[in-house]
Amino acid sequence: MFRQGALAMLVFSLVACGGGSGSSGSSGSTSQAPAPTVAVTPATSDLLPGGSLTLQASISGSGSPTDLVWSVDNVPGGNDSVGTISGSGGTVTY
């Protein structure tokens, strides 16, 4: 058997979080919105096979928790061999 480190395997990405650019005056220069910062709690955890863990994410900067796409080992939503994510947005269960 193997030991699952939930957050070690958990990878998430942001989808459609904004980050546009705009013109500033007549100089033609553009500015870009700062990249959003994502915080996940708990930050670390160990689980035994078959265990579950509730995760919460918050986004500062542009974007919102509904923009989150949760993945496990680069599999959106996970699967039976790497673990699954239930729920969506800012609060999910691994």
Side-chain angles (χ1 to χ4, degrees):
M1 254 321 137
F2 59 93
R3 183 174 168 172
Q4 294 177 348
L7 296 182
M9 293 190 319
L10 181 65
V11 178
F12 58 92
S13 59
L14 298 172
V15 175
C17 278
S21 61
S23 177
S24 62
S26 61
S27 67
S29 65
T30 60
S31 62
Q32 205 162 6
T37 302
V38 180
V40 177
T41 55
T44 62
S45 182
D46 287 326
L47 289 176
L48 295 175
S52 65
L53 177 68
T54 298
L55 300 166
Q56 291 186 309
S58 60
I59 300 175
S60 58
S62 60
S64 71
T66 58
D67 294 334
L68 291 173
V69 174
W70 295 82
S71 298
V72 183
D73 252 1
N74 293 320
V75 178
N79 62 30
D80 289 339
S81 53
V82 295
T84 59
I85 297 292
S86 302
S88 63
T91 303
V92 297
T93 301
Y94 171 82

